[in-house]
Amino acid sequence: MSAAQMHGTTILAVRRGKTVCVGGDGQVSLGQTVVKGDARKVRRLAGERVIAGFAGATADAFTLLERLESKLEQYPTQLTRACVELAKDWRTDRYLRRLEAMMIVADKDVTLTLSGAGDVLEPQFGVTGIGSGGDYARSAAHALLEETDLDPDTIVRKAMAIAGSICVYTNDSLTIETIHTDD
């Protein structure tokens, strides 16, 4: 690894009622320099049914997204099972074990945070955040969720703005994806 490390990303997911929203900023930094301001770290998978956001080394994250997509093909309506199977591989496979990334994934039923330590965590209050500004965004989202009637999209936007005002590795170039469930 080079002396200057890549930093930067804030990914936030908020679930309220029948809506889940995942947002991520676009900043990628190398040392003290912003090398890209509009990276797209939140994507739709599995025929638009799943939203995934990633933080960490980009090549590692793309490898994990590809693996997740293949698990979703095996278990098309079982996001939790697909994630558990991915986490097993991630933890036990010699190559995957070295990948440095985290992911938030969500569908109409569940939101999960995945890590290379084998974690597949469902947030207690429907809010989770990862990346350099993840704790700031998550804290702001918790407060907004508890104290307002705002929809998840608005909460994500406001919480990401708060995180961006605190974390130098988070910017205001957002990618936001939302799933609304009517049934």
Side-chain angles (χ1 to χ4, degrees):
M1 183 175 292
S2 67
Q5 281 190 296
M6 297 288 274
H7 289 285
T9 290
T10 300
I11 305 294
L12 177 66
V14 175
R15 182 177 293 274
R16 173 176 260 171
K18 297 180 179 185
T19 303
V20 63
C21 181
V22 180
D25 78 310
Q27 184 166 308
V28 177
S29 303
L30 181 59
Q32 296 179 344
T33 306
V34 175
V35 293
K36 185 169 177 76
D38 62 350
R40 195 169 154 259
K41 304 169 200 168
V42 175
R43 301 169 184 275
R44 293 270 187 158
L45 306 173
E48 306 288 309
R49 292 176 291 116
V50 174
I51 304 169
F54 62 85
T58 306
D60 293 354
F62 280 119
T63 299
L64 292 168
L65 286 173
E66 288 173 6
R67 295 284 182 128
L68 178 59
E69 283 198 284
S70 71
K71 295 297 182 186
L72 288 167
E73 287 173 10
Q74 281 183 273
Y75 311 105
T77 60
Q78 301 174 57
L79 179 61
T80 301
R81 180 155 186 205
C83 289
V84 168
E85 293 300 322
L86 173 64
K88 283 183 198 175
D89 291 351
W90 193 354
R91 186 174 167 123
T92 59
D93 183 274
R94 183 177 214 140
Y95 168 72
L96 293 178
R97 231 185 351 238
R98 298 173 193 206
L99 300 181
E100 297 180 14
M102 289 186 74
M103 294 192 321
I104 291 175
V105 295
D107 68 4
K108 66 182 184 65
D109 299 314
V110 67
T111 302
L112 301 167
T113 302
L114 286 72
S115 80
D119 299 317
V120 178
L121 305 170
E122 184 173 3
Q124 185 175 8
F125 301 108
V127 176
T128 188
I130 59 173
S132 57
D135 288 338
Y136 306 121
R138 186 169 38 89
S139 296
H142 271 293
L144 290 166
L145 195 61
E146 189 173 308
E147 298 296 326
T148 71
D149 291 328
L150 296 172
D151 62 276
D153 183 273
T154 304
I155 291 173
V156 166
R157 289 177 189 281
K158 288 180 177 289
M160 292 293 289
I162 291 167
S165 72
I166 299 168
C167 177
V168 297
Y169 298 113
T170 303
N171 72 8
D172 61 359
S173 177
L174 302 179
T175 301
I176 305 228
E177 295 286 348
T178 304
I179 296 173
H180 302 280
T181 307
D182 296 326
D183 47 356

